[in-house]
Amino acid sequence: MNPLINVTGRDKFGNGKGEMAIKVFSLIPVVNAGNNEKVNQATLQRYLAEIVWFPSAALSPYISWKPLNDNSAQATMDYNGTTGSGVFHFDLNGNFQKFVAMRYKDIKDTIPKEWTVSMIKSEIQNGIKIPVECEVSWLLENQDWRWLKLRVKNIQYNIK
């Protein structure tokens, strides 16, 4: 997209349902999707990827784990009728490297596409080692399309 255009977005998962909203200049809707099985699953998978910032969420009774090899495990989450999964990859020391899921990019998609969250840099914040720089990409027509580069500047846990 044109770097001069301000785009805001929200990807929400709650009570087993998902919503996606993207607006140009925070006013003009470009995407407004919800109440759809594909959106529900895609937002659940995004939630799964984000547990790297809240590691205790990995212990949720809604998430089951299946080891794939010494450095990866598949997480499957089933919550209020919505199920999704993805694979977490770790280095030899057990540090998060990437999360890969077959995810719907659009409600018009007939098959999901490979979606990857890759860790670029990690730090210890509030006593917990988390990724603080990540890139998010879709595999489209055998080519990665990086659509998001993010940086966590501050994270707080157990705020009263």
Side-chain angles (χ1 to χ4, degrees), residues 11-69:
D11 192 353
K12 176 183 172 184
F13 180 76
N15 294 323
K17 305 293 182 211
E19 294 176 10
M20 292 181 187
I22 299 173
K23 295 180 180 181
V24 176
F25 300 114
S26 298
L27 296 170
I28 305 165
V30 178
V31 174
N32 189 14
N35 195 24
N36 178 289
E37 288 181 23
K38 293 176 184 177
V39 173
N40 296 345
Q41 183 183 57
T43 55
L44 179 143
Q45 289 169 302
R46 189 256 325 134
Y47 174 88
L48 267 179
E50 290 181 359
I51 69 174
V52 297
W53 292 296
F54 304 95
S56 62
L59 302 174
S60 166
Y62 303 107
I63 301 174
S64 61
W65 293 90
K66 176 184 172 186
L68 300 177
N69 58 43

Side-chain angles (χ1 to χ4, degrees), residues 3 10 18-19 23-25 36 53 70 79 83 98 118 123 156 159:
R10 177 180 48 81
E19 294 176 10
K23 295 180 180 181
V24 176
F25 300 114
N36 178 289
W53 292 296
D70 289 344
Y79 188 75
T83 301
K98 67 181 177 178
S118 301
E123 290 178 0
Q156 297 179 2
I159 303 299

Side-chain angles (χ1 to χ4, degrees), residues 138-149:
W138 291 95
L139 181 60
L140 303 176
E141 299 175 17
N142 298 318
Q143 183 175 341
D144 280 338
W145 173 54
R146 183 184 76 202
W147 67 276
L148 177 65
K149 189 171 185 176

